[in-house]
Amino acid sequence: MRLAAALLILPFFLQLLGFGKTPLGGGLCGDLFLAQNPALAFQTPGFWYGVLFMGLLALQMGYGLALLLLPLLEVPIGSGWLRLGRGLVGLLFLLFLLTRTTGLPTPGPGGWVLEPVGVDPLSLLLVGLSLAGGVLLRENGGHGTAS
């Protein structure tokens, strides 16, 4: 369970590499701080995707921290809690696929636009770590206890 928690926490901090313009690319949220125009309606779809993924990565990090802290407080982690984590990882993966293939509706100067963004190595690493953490979230023999 600790390894799953670490894999769910790590993408939030690795995203900081994307803000530093490394050769790995911008990651899931790289366009968030590259905004040139202060008017929100004129931001690129990458900016809006960055806002969305920064929120999801923050939720995922909070979930991972809870996985680490709840056993220390002797609070049992039930099957619903594990399903929540797998759902969060599934949502992040689904939105990653949508934003990289068809795009999601984002506001633009001429109205709502559907524009996909490119894939870079850092974003693949972040999603891969999240998926690995989600795979490690499993139930032990159907008893609702974490393995």
Side-chain angles (χ1 to χ4, degrees), residues 53-136:
F53 281 111
M54 185 54 84
L56 284 173
L57 287 175
L59 282 173
Q60 184 175 297
M61 182 187 66
Y63 178 83
L65 288 173
L67 281 180
L68 289 176
L69 294 177
L70 287 176
L72 294 175
L73 298 172
E74 297 180 1
V75 176
I77 298 173
S79 62
W81 187 253
L82 297 174
R83 278 192 301 265
L84 174 69
R86 288 190 302 260
L88 183 60
V89 169
L91 177 65
L92 184 121
F93 181 67
L94 176 68
L95 289 174
F96 174 76
L97 288 178
L98 285 174
T99 56
R100 279 17 185 208
T101 56
T102 61
L104 296 174
T106 57
W112 291 88
V113 295
L114 283 171
E115 185 179 317
V117 293
V119 177
D120 56 26
L122 183 58
S123 63
L124 290 174
L125 176 67
L126 297 176
V127 171
L129 289 172
S130 296
L131 284 174
V135 167
L136 290 177

